[in-house]
Amino acid sequence: MNSAFAIFFQRLIYFFTKIDLLILVCYLFCLNFPYFNFSYFPTHDTQFVFQSFYFFYNHLFFDHSVAQWMPFEPFGVPAHLTQLRQLTFMSYATMFGGWILGVKDVLILFKISVVAEQLVLLFGMYLLSRHLFRRWSTVLFVCLVAMHGSTSWWEQIYFDLRFFYMFPLAIYTFLLFFEKKKIEYLWFWGLILTLWVMGNTVYLTMVWCFIFLV
């Protein structure tokens, strides 16, 4: 009986190790499900980011072009600095997808873009932890900690998500460059850093200086 239970348990663990990333993705969706309630609205820094997302998406949706000037708060200031500070690559991808599909609920689109950034964090942390740790349980634990640390983005989206959402993927490609001695990984690392800057310039310099010191 004990041997049969042990075999069943081993097979169960083997099954979970094959679909562990899928399980983690599903769990991430479950963590974010409450935020998709219509009564939820972001606050503080996240609200400022959403306002910019709202303005740029409305301009794209109705005028079919990218806004060049900011009509509110800075009044007449060129829009490129606001884009660089508050819109990420995932923001653009989500807005473009919403524009193609004719989606009018901008808040839902914004929440989807944030979940997409969390998926980038999860994917990067999964690859990095699989590269560094042998035990499946350690990989699972590290990914769970990363996910729970990134789901409080409704108020401080920079501190709670954007500071570090591409950091694991950048470290992973950097390690691959030194281990495999292939220039492709260095170019990929540079591309990740470039994408990481988008929508993340407010405090990013301080964070990168701290990482360098560590």
Side-chain angles (χ1 to χ4, degrees):
M1 184 66 181
N2 291 334
S3 61
F5 179 77
I7 293 174
F8 172 77
F9 185 74
Q10 290 176 358
R11 290 181 177 178
L12 187 64
I13 293 297
Y14 177 79
F15 173 74
F16 280 116
T17 56
K18 292 299 180 182
I19 61 169
D20 51 355
L21 183 58
L22 178 61
I23 294 174
L24 289 170
V25 169
C26 293
Y27 184 65
L28 180 64
F29 288 154
C30 291
L31 289 177
N32 283 280
F33 180 76
Y35 303 144
F36 281 81
N37 188 287
F38 71 94
S39 61
Y40 164 77
F41 193 80
T43 60
H44 203 58
D45 278 1
T46 310
Q47 185 180 112
F48 294 139
V49 173
F50 170 67
Q51 288 175 352
S52 296
F53 186 96
Y54 183 90
F55 166 68
F56 281 101
Y57 181 71
N58 273 0
H59 199 283
L60 176 65
F61 189 87
F62 291 105
D63 295 334
H64 310 295
S65 62
V66 179
Q68 301 296 314
W69 304 92
M70 301 301 297
F72 61 92
E73 191 179 357
F75 294 109
V77 173
H80 60 279
L81 292 178
T82 302
Q83 289 178 265
L84 188 61
R85 287 196 303 263
Q86 300 185 355
L87 297 181
T88 65
F89 173 77
M90 294 303 173
S91 300
Y92 290 112
T94 307
M95 285 191 290
F96 182 75
W99 176 55
I100 294 296
L101 298 175
V103 178
K104 296 183 179 180
D105 193 332
V106 187
L107 185 57
I108 290 293
L109 282 180
F110 175 72
K111 294 174 182 179
I112 292 174
S113 70
V114 176
V115 174
E117 293 170 15
Q118 291 177 330
L119 287 173
V120 172
L121 171 64
L122 173 59
F123 183 66
M125 188 63 75
Y126 178 81
L127 292 176
L128 180 61
S129 56
R130 285 289 296 266
H131 188 75
L132 296 177
F133 306 114
R134 293 181 179 180
R135 298 182 61 179
W136 172 74
S137 57
T138 305
V139 175
L140 183 65
F141 178 77
V142 170
C143 291
L144 287 174
V145 171
M147 283 191 296
H148 279 276
S150 66
T151 52
S152 57
W153 50 267
W154 63 86
E155 185 175 11
Q156 292 281 1
I157 193 170
Y158 293 108
F159 289 98
D160 296 334
L161 177 62
R162 287 189 174 177
F163 273 0
F164 52 84
Y165 83 105
M166 282 193 172
F167 181 64
L169 195 58
I171 294 297
Y172 176 68
T173 54
F174 202 55
L175 289 176
L176 289 181
F177 167 68
F178 282 103
E179 292 178 3
K180 297 183 181 298
K181 303 295 189 300
K182 292 184 178 180
I183 193 64
E184 294 86 352
Y185 294 108
L186 184 63
W187 284 106
F188 191 46
W189 174 72
L191 176 62
I192 292 173
L193 295 184
T194 302
L195 295 178
W196 193 8
V197 171
M198 297 173 61
N200 201 23
T201 60
V202 179
Y203 309 102
L204 189 62
T205 303
M206 292 183 292
V207 175
W208 282 10
C209 288
F210 176 74
I211 292 172
F212 174 76
L213 292 176
V214 171

